[in-house]
Every structure is written in C-alpha cells, then in structure tokens.
Amino acid sequence: MSNSNILGYAAKAIGQSLEPFTYESPKLGEHDVRVDVTHCGFCHTDIHAIDDYYGITTYPFVPGHEIVGYVSEVGREACELKKGDRVGIGWQGRSCMKCEWCLKGEEQLCYDIVDSGTWVPYGGFSSSVVVDSRFAYQLPEAISSELAAVLMCAGVTVFSPLRRYAAESLKIGVIGVGGLGHLAIQFAHALGYDVTAISSSHEKKDQALAFGADSFIDLNDKTQLRQAEYGFDLLLCTANSKLNWERLMTILKKNARLVLVGFPDVSFNSTDLVAHQLSIAGSFLGNRATMREMLQFAQKHNIKPMIELMPMTRVNEAIQRVRQNKARYRIVLVNGTVGVDI
Ligand SMILES: [Zn+2]
Ligand SMILES: [Zn+2]
C-alpha cells in the first residue's frame, strides 16, 4: 500500500454504515510513527462516535482504536521505535505533552483530549494510522496480536481503576459481563480480589465464573440483591445500559465507591449517597505508565480476551453485532486473511 494512499472504512454522516474510503496519508510529525494495521478491535465507543453521541465527531469518520500493527515509517524524534516493531495503540494517539496533566503523567486527562484520539484524523479501520510514537506500545511477545488489540482500550480501561481504587478493597463487584466486564473479572481475579460478576443476563453466569468470578448476582433477582446488601467495597460499572441505580447503591458498603467506565444514563438518590458516604467516580482509559504495566500484567497472568475474528471488509456486519449486543465478547477486525498475523 502506498503511503500517500490509505484505504479505510468511513461513516460519511451521523449513524451511517461504513463505506470504503480512500484518503491521503497524514504527514508524519517529528515524534510520529506510521503503523500498518493488522488487527483492530471493535469498541462500543466506536459506535457512540459514529452516532456522534459525544458531539465531537467530524465526518467522514474512520473509527477504530484498539490497534495492533507494525511500524512502517518513523519520524525523526521517534527514537524508541524502529521499522518492523510490533506495537499496540489504544484510544489515545497523542497528547499536548505540556499541560499540567501531561506533565503529571496523566496524559489521558490532557486538555487537548478531543484532538488526542487515535481516530484523529482517521482511525484503525484502515490500512495504516499515524500516531505519536509515545502512544504506540511495544507488545510482549507472548500476547498474540488479536488479543493484544482488545487490551489496548478495553484492557487498560478496566485495569486502571482496579489498580487505582481497589488497593485496599477486598470485595469487588463488576457490573456487566461484556467486552469490558469479562476483562475486568479476569484482571480483578488476578489482582487477588474477591470478585462478583453482576449482570441481568443469567445465561452469562457460567462464563463469568470461568473468567474468574467467585460468585454471580443476577440483577433481576431481588433476593440475591438483598442478600448482598452492604457487601461491596467497590463496584466497577462496565455497562452502557440503563440500570436500577438505587438498588445497586444498596449493595455498596458504607464509605464505598462506584466507578463508571462505560457511559450509562445515571440518576441517583442523594439520601443514600450522603448518609452512607458513598462516592461515585469516573475513570477514563489509563496513562502511559499504566498501559505498559497492564500489558506486562496481562502477559504474566495470562489475561485472555474472548474474541470473534472477522475480516475488516465485513465491518458493517460487525457493527450490527455490536449494536445488537451479540458480540462475545469482543470483535476484532483483521486486515488480510483472518487468523494470519500479517
Ligand atoms: Zn474503546
Ligand atoms: Zn496535555
């Protein structure tokens, strides 16, 4: 593929199906690398962005931010990477590197975050992407490319709050057993916590236990919820759907914390929040140090996303499966032949 001629898949307008889209390659900045994409995971955030849920999407929009590929071109200052290196890239493809948060090493909080997305100008459902080399991570050899792809967004998104908030927590509940949740269960288990999977899909119980959950709560079962009252030090909510928040608050211990990593609609009763001294927090991606730590941890503890592989050419079918909540648990799109690490 010529570097000046990139083939991607783009939504031309809000909510539309993706179409093949040829665009001129962005020029490499001093710190940039070009990465030829072999694999790209499909995150729920891609759908939100296609639908302009966040109000920041510009069209034509090429989604994709769980990328694995090989470095094919290196900017003058991108000295830590060389041509041929296998790297992973997550949602964040750059940052200003000079605001207070970047200087503190919390790049995911950069004031320029809207322009820091890997999909600016075009994302990973593409033959190649250009990102700042400081956000392209060398991958441990033992992690295959299709599994590493999912760790780059879903993995770090759940690992980061589990490391940050759960240090003194003993009992953790993971709400939602999907793309994020099935990884959160694995990471929480490997970190040594007592982990309960909480879902309204009772049929996911066996799988949740196989991922490492110590127990399972069916959200539709009021008796189970009553038995779990004041049970959890931390609830990590990976769901995007509407939930019965007041009921969920009853299973938090006093002084405990609910952390959101998805984007569900929320409404809370302030009485329980105040009287039980509960905290509600958001957690966004992870910084670069956490990303590197997460990759090493995933290798050491054999964290394995469960994926479906599909060729990039079937991207619209993948979108339908994600929209219908049918992906088990993550779809990874492959450029070239499925299953071959090109
Ligand atoms: Zn994502
Ligand atoms: Zn910044």
Side-chain angles (χ1 to χ4, degrees):
M1 177 69 63
S2 148
N3 286 341
S4 59
N5 196 18
I6 309 295
L7 175 64
Y9 290 89
K12 298 280 172 65
I14 187 165
Q16 284 195 355
S17 298
L18 305 195
E19 299 169 33
F21 172 59
T22 306
Y23 58 93
E24 198 170 320
S25 167
K27 294 272 174 294
L28 260 69
E30 284 187 338
H31 286 280
D32 289 350
V33 283
R34 180 187 312 285
V35 174
D36 290 347
V37 178
T38 60
H39 297 80
C40 191
F42 205 126
C43 175
H44 209 275
T45 305
D46 290 314
I47 303 261
H48 272 154
I50 291 168
D51 295 342
D52 200 20
Y53 177 88
Y54 310 105
I56 57 169
T57 308
T58 53
Y59 301 89
F61 171 65
V62 177
H65 60 271
E66 286 188 340
I67 298 167
V68 171
Y70 291 92
V71 174
S72 59
E73 203 181 333
V74 181
R76 211 154 31 97
E77 298 288 330
C79 33
E80 283 184 24
L81 293 174
K82 59 182 189 312
K83 220 170 146 175
D85 283 348
R86 187 178 70 129
V87 293
I89 303 160
W91 186 91
Q92 188 166 18
R94 56 192 69 247
S95 81
C96 83
M97 290 294 191
K98 50 182 195 270
C99 75
E100 63 175 294
W101 295 103
C102 286
L103 293 176
K104 279 182 195 164
E106 297 285 347
E107 302 88 2
Q108 82 281 12
L109 300 177
C110 177
Y111 286 124
D112 282 345
I113 196 68
V114 170
D115 293 324
S116 299
T118 293
W119 56 42
V120 177
Y122 301 116
F125 294 175
S126 220
S127 53
S128 75
V129 290
V130 173
V131 296
D132 188 312
S133 58
R134 292 166 289 191
F135 291 84
Y137 303 87
Q138 301 234 37
L139 296 172
E141 248 175 58
I143 306 181
S144 69
S145 294
E146 61 266 32
L147 299 189
V150 179
L151 297 174
M152 301 313 297
C153 180
V156 77
T157 294
V158 297
F159 181 76
S160 179
L162 286 172
R163 289 290 280 132
R164 191 176 341 135
Y165 293 120
E168 290 162 28
S169 295
L170 298 173
K171 210 161 158 40
I172 290 176
V174 174
I175 304 168
V177 183
L180 291 168
H182 89 290
L183 282 176
I185 294 167
Q186 292 184 50
F187 277 117
H189 175 71
L191 283 160
Y193 305 123
D194 180 311
V195 52
T196 299
I198 302 171
S199 167
S200 52
S201 308
H202 187 75
E203 71 275 9
K204 288 183 176 170
K205 180 179 176 179
D206 289 345
Q207 204 128 46
L209 298 180
F211 290 136
D214 297 285
S215 48
F216 182 90
I217 291 178
D218 182 345
L219 267 179
N220 299 312
D221 188 331
K222 285 186 189 155
T223 312
Q224 285 185 22
L225 283 167
R226 215 172 300 122
Q227 284 165 351
E229 228 170 66
Y230 297 120
F232 292 95
D233 300 282
L234 178 90
L235 287 176
L236 182 66
C237 181
T238 68
N240 280 302
S241 53
K242 209 172 158 67
L243 294 164
N244 186 333
W245 297 102
E246 287 183 21
R247 199 178 290 165
L248 279 171
M249 294 311 243
T250 66
I251 62 172
L252 277 172
K253 285 183 186 173
K254 301 204 176 199
N255 257 345
R257 193 186 301 267
L258 168 69
V259 179
L260 306 178
V261 291
F263 298 90
D265 290 332
V266 291
S267 65
F268 296 103
N269 174 347
S270 57
T271 309
D272 283 351
L273 202 65
V274 173
H276 298 173
Q277 290 193 178
L278 304 176
S279 304
I280 302 168
S283 183
F284 183 54
L285 309 173
N287 61 22
R288 291 186 299 150
T290 304
M291 183 73 96
R292 285 189 285 268
E293 185 189 345
M294 180 276 299
L295 288 167
Q296 292 306 322
F297 187 91
Q299 174 187 243
K300 187 171 172 208
H301 295 275
N302 202 22
I303 304 291
K304 282 222 160 94
M306 186 171 279
I307 59 163
E308 300 176 29
L309 283 177
M310 289 175 75
M312 188 78 78
T313 47
R314 282 166 56 196
V315 63
N316 286 309
E317 201 182 317
I319 290 176
Q320 283 317 313
R321 286 185 66 73
V322 176
R323 279 193 191 279
Q324 292 162 3
N325 212 9
K326 285 186 179 161
R328 291 291 177 274
Y329 283 87
R330 202 65 151 186
I331 293 174
V332 176
L333 300 171
V334 185
N335 268 328
T337 312
V338 168
V340 177
D341 192 0
I342 49 176

